[in-house]
Amino acid sequence: MFSATKIREDFPILRRTVHDRPLVYLDNAATTQKPRQVIESLVRYYETNNANIHRGIHTLSVEATEQYEAVRGKVALLIGAPSNDSIVFTRNTTESINLVARSWGDANLSEGDEIVLSLMEHHSNIVPWQLLARRTGARLRYIEVTADGHLDLDMARQLIGPRTKLVSLVHMSNVLGTINPIGEIAGMAHAAGARFLVDAAQSAPHLPIDVTGLGADFLAFSAHKMLGPTGVGVLWAADGLLSEMEPFLGGGEMISLVRQDESTWADLPHKFEAGTPNIADVIGFGAALDYLAGLGMPAVREHERNITAYALDRLGALPGLNIHGPSDVDQRGGAVSFSLEGIHPHDISTILDSRGIAIRAGHHCAQLLMRALDVPATSRASFYIYNTEDEVDALVEAVEAVQRVFNGVSHRTAV
Ligand code: PMP
C-alpha cells in the first residue's frame, strides 16, 4: 500500500528544517531527494567494493563490474528495453541528447534537412540541435503550444514531412506538466521517414514507460530526477541504431584495438562509454531503481495524479493566480507552474523559502516557452512520491501570505 508518510521515513533530508520550519521540498522537477537506501549503497560501494571496472581480474574489480552492469539490466527493466546493450550510461539527459546530435546527427543530416522540435522544449533539447544545424546546414522547425498547454498537433502534422530527418520532443513538460501524445507523434515521424527522440527527463521518473510501445528511436533521461545520484544519465536507442553510429567520445574502455593511425571500437554499449565511468553513482542509481520498482511505477503515477489534482484544485481557487498548463490530471504530471498577478516569481520563491518551502522560480531552462506564454518567468511547484496534501496546504497558505504582503505594499504605495 503506497503511503507518502511512510516513504518520507526513508529520506533523511526531509527531517531537516529551513528557517526554523520543516522543509517542504517542492522542487522535484529540478532534482529529487535521495532515500537512505541510495545513500547507503554509495557508502557501501566505497567502503567495500571500490575499484575500476571492466579492467581488472581482481575480486574488487570483478564485483564492481558486476554491480555496475547489473544496473543496466535494471534500467532495461524499467523502460521495457529488450536488450541491455541498447542502454548507454552518460552524465545526464543533456549529454545523452548531445551524444545523439553528434554521433547520429553529424552522419545523417545535411543542408536542407529539417529537425522538428517544439516550443515547450528544455534548452537541452534545443541547443544541441542548434549546434548540429550550424555544423550541417539543417534547419530547425518548432511546433507551437496551444493556449491550454498542449502541442498544436495540426501544426505538427504540417511541419513533419519529407524534409524532416528528426523529431525531438519532450515526453512530459518540466514547466506545464503536459504529457505529450508520443505515440501519435512517433507515427507522424516514422511515416515521414524521420527518427524520433524522446526527452524523458520528466517522464521516466513519474510514469510507467515501455519503449517498445512508445515508438521512440532514442530515449534520454537522468538518474538524479528519480531518486538517484547526480552525474548519471541514460540513453536508450532502438535496435541497430547504436551499432551504425560513430563514437561520441574517444579514449579508454571504448576501443577494441588501437593502432597508430586508427582504432576499432568495443562492443555495444561500451563503444559509447569512454573513460572511467561514474561507477559509484551508477550503482547508487541501481538502488534508486530498486526503490521505485518496490513501489511500482503505476503507484508512483497514481500518487502524483492525486496530489497534482489536489494542488490544482487548491491553487486554482486562489484569486489572481493563473496556472499554466493542462487542467486535466490525466494529461499532465506534477510540475505545476503558476503566475500571481503583479508579483515576480523570485519574490514568491523568496517568501516561500522563509517558510521552509522550496519551489523554483525562473525560466526553467525553457525560454522559448516563456516567450510563448508571454511571461518573463513562472513559479513552479513539482511533486514526487514523498509529498503530502499537508505540504500542498502549506504551499497554498504561503502563497496567500505572499498575496497579503504584496497587496498591502501596493495599497500603501497607492496611498
Ligand atoms: N529535459 C527536461 C524536460 C528537463 O526537465 C531537464 C532537467 N530540468 C532536462 C532535459 C535536462 O536534464 P539534465 O540537467 O539532468 O541534463
Side-chain angles (χ1 to χ4, degrees):
M1 178 68 186
F2 189 101
S3 160
T5 316
K6 188 99 190 60
I7 286 170
R8 293 178 73 81
E9 291 170 11
D10 289 329
F11 290 76
I13 204 169
L14 297 180
R15 290 197 280 275
R16 73 160 282 180
T17 55
V18 171
H19 301 303
D20 297 328
R21 305 280 193 106
L23 168 67
V24 174
Y25 186 77
L26 302 178
D27 194 16
N28 294 288
T31 199
T32 61
Q33 297 303 345
K34 321 303 171 197
R36 69 183 157 71
Q37 289 83 343
V38 169
I39 299 165
E40 283 167 7
S41 84
L42 293 173
V43 172
R44 194 166 49 244
Y45 168 74
Y46 281 122
E47 286 186 350
T48 64
N49 287 111
N50 179 49
N52 213 328
I53 57 169
H54 297 142
R55 296 177 191 200
I57 39 171
H58 61 80
T59 300
L60 291 190
S61 176
V62 171
E63 286 176 2
T65 305
E66 278 169 5
Q67 288 180 32
Y68 177 92
E69 287 302 329
V71 182
R72 227 185 279 280
K74 293 177 189 193
V75 173
L77 209 61
L78 176 84
I79 61 173
S83 138
N84 292 3
D85 295 349
S86 59
I87 286 157
V88 176
F89 287 121
T90 61
R91 276 190 309 145
N92 45 37
T93 306
T94 304
E95 187 175 292
S96 298
I97 296 175
N98 276 275
L99 190 162
V100 177
R102 279 282 177 184
S103 293
W104 180 85
D106 281 357
N108 286 283
L109 273 88
S110 51
E111 183 123 23
D113 290 338
E114 293 184 352
I115 301 166
V116 175
L117 310 173
S118 87
L119 289 184
M120 67 166 85
E121 299 311 313
H122 188 279
H123 295 163
S124 67
N125 194 27
I126 297 172
V127 181
W129 309 120
Q130 290 176 338
L131 294 171
L132 174 64
R134 214 156 69 184
R135 291 195 298 276
T136 59
R139 180 175 171 214
L140 304 183
R141 310 294 304 271
Y142 289 94
I143 304 167
E144 288 181 10
V145 177
T146 61
D148 57 351
H150 291 286
L151 285 182
D152 182 338
L153 289 180
D154 288 335
M155 189 167 181
R157 268 179 222 104
Q158 282 164 21
L159 286 184
I160 300 170
R163 276 193 290 271
T164 312
K165 279 282 157 49
L166 175 77
V167 179
S168 189
L169 287 183
V170 67
H171 191 178
M172 186 196 286
S173 161
N174 64 316
V175 178
L176 303 168
T178 317
I179 300 171
N180 286 320
I182 290 303
E184 210 173 327
I185 307 268
M188 294 182 208
H190 292 149
R195 293 294 183 187
F196 184 34
L197 186 148
V198 175
D199 170 356
Q202 295 295 339
S203 58
H206 302 276
L207 302 178
I209 286 192
D210 175 13
V211 276
T212 49
L214 208 58
D217 295 302
F218 298 105
L219 188 89
F221 56 99
S222 300
H224 70 93
K225 292 183 197 284
M226 48 198 309
L227 309 180
T230 49
V232 177
V234 170
L235 173 69
W236 168 85
D239 234 16
L241 274 169
L242 291 176
S243 42
E244 284 166 16
M245 285 158 52
E246 282 293 297
F248 173 44
L249 301 169
E253 300 275 314
M254 51 74 70
I255 48 81
S256 170
L257 262 180
V258 175
R259 298 210 171 79
Q260 285 203 2
D261 295 325
E262 56 180 10
S263 301
T264 55
W265 314 136
D267 290 339
L268 290 174
H270 309 292
K271 177 172 101 174
F272 291 103
E273 292 180 11
T276 301
N278 194 348
I279 305 163
D281 292 318
V282 166
I283 291 170
F285 183 33
L289 292 170
D290 289 343
Y291 195 95
L292 288 172
L295 297 174
M297 290 310 289
V300 169
R301 166 64 182 151
E302 185 57 19
H303 170 71
E304 189 151 314
R305 202 182 154 284
N306 294 339
I307 197 161
T308 305
Y310 185 69
L312 292 179
D313 218 40
R314 292 232 45 208
L315 285 171
L318 298 178
L321 186 144
N322 177 28
I323 297 173
H324 306 284
S327 49
D328 179 352
V329 283
D330 288 326
Q331 299 185 22
R332 61 167 300 141
V336 179
S337 283
F338 57 93
S339 301
L340 280 182
E341 225 171 87
I343 309 175
H344 196 281
H346 285 166
D347 292 328
I348 300 171
S349 180
T350 305
I351 295 177
L352 264 54
D353 180 62
S354 73
R355 292 170 157 246
I357 303 172
I359 62 157
R360 179 139 301 222
H363 55 59
H364 315 292
C365 297
Q367 290 185 5
L368 300 188
L369 181 60
M370 294 298 114
R371 248 167 257 138
L373 296 173
D374 198 21
V375 292
T378 72
S379 304
R380 181 188 70 191
S382 51
F383 307 109
Y384 209 31
I385 50 174
Y386 35 69
N387 290 125
T388 63
E389 290 191 356
D390 288 347
E391 291 184 306
V392 175
D393 292 339
L395 169 71
V396 171
E397 271 168 38
V399 171
E400 285 174 321
V402 172
Q403 288 181 309
R404 278 196 301 277
V405 169
F406 275 82
N407 291 340
V409 169
S410 54
H411 176 69
R412 277 200 301 278
T413 316
V415 172

